[in-house]
């Protein structure tokens, strides 16, 4: 049970970091955000945002599944 809670906390931290990165890219704008994305991530801006959104959705789904599984025990 403690392992499940630790996994949920780590996944929640990852989802928060993804959302923070998305908002940071949004705040930078298209030109500076594109430069930041290439410099830091090695990717273009729009595919990076899509990847971060999909990753966040998957992580939140995992959190939901783990929390339901923990409640069953």
């Amino acid at each position: 049970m403690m392992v499940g809670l630790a996994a949920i906390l780590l996944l929640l931290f990852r989802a928060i970091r993804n959302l923070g990165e998305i908002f940071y890219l949004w705040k930078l704008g298209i030109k500076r955000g594109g430069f930041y994305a290439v410099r830091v991530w090695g990717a273009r801006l729009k595919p990076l945002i899509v990847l971060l959104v999909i990753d966040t959705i998957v992580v939140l789904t995992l959190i939901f599944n783990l929390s339901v599984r923990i409640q069953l025990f």
Side-chain angles (χ1 to χ4, degrees):
M1 184 158 168
M2 292 301 290
V3 173
L5 291 174
I8 287 174
L9 287 175
L10 289 174
L11 288 171
L12 188 61
F13 179 71
R14 180 174 176 155
I16 290 169
R17 291 294 299 159
N18 283 346
L19 291 174
E21 191 70 23
I22 290 169
F23 289 131
Y24 182 71
L25 287 168
W26 185 309
K27 186 177 77 170
L28 286 177
I30 299 226
K31 192 168 191 172
R32 288 189 302 156
F35 176 72
Y36 173 81
V38 169
R39 185 173 52 99
V40 173
W41 290 86
R44 292 195 172 123
L45 180 63
K46 289 182 183 178
L48 176 62
I49 291 176
V50 170
L51 176 73
L52 288 171
V53 168
I54 291 172
D55 186 48
T56 304
I57 291 170
V58 168
V59 166
L60 291 176
T61 305
L62 286 172
I63 290 171
F64 176 75
N65 288 335
L66 282 173
S67 65
V68 168
R69 184 170 290 180
I70 287 175
Q71 288 179 358
L72 290 176
F73 289 120

